[in-house]
Amino acid sequence: MAVQQRRNSKTRKNKRRTHFKLEAPTLVKCPTCGEAKRPHHQCPSCLSK
């Protein structure tokens, strides 16, 4: 098992974590009701009707 030899700086840690971010999901309008839905998924409001 790897054991850390030296402490990493805050800058080095933050450089490694630059891609660890949340992205909002892509939404499109439902052609039937016009409500926002995920692409290639069923509309939750049309599904419950």
Side-chain angles (χ1 to χ4, degrees):
M1 189 167 146
V3 178
Q4 180 177 340
Q5 300 299 314
R6 288 202 165 91
R7 178 179 173 150
N8 284 339
S9 68
K10 294 174 192 166
T11 305
R12 191 169 180 89
K13 174 183 70 175
N14 292 337
K15 281 182 185 178
R16 187 177 66 247
R17 294 182 180 173
T18 56
H19 305 292
F20 288 19
K21 56 182 178 269
L22 293 174
E23 292 182 5
T26 308
L27 298 175
V28 296
K29 282 176 66 173
C30 173
T32 312
C33 67
E35 199 165 320
K37 71 172 191 75
R38 305 252 334 255
H40 310 287
H41 286 69
Q42 286 184 325
C43 178
S45 64
C46 293
L47 188 63
S48 62
K49 290 181 183 176

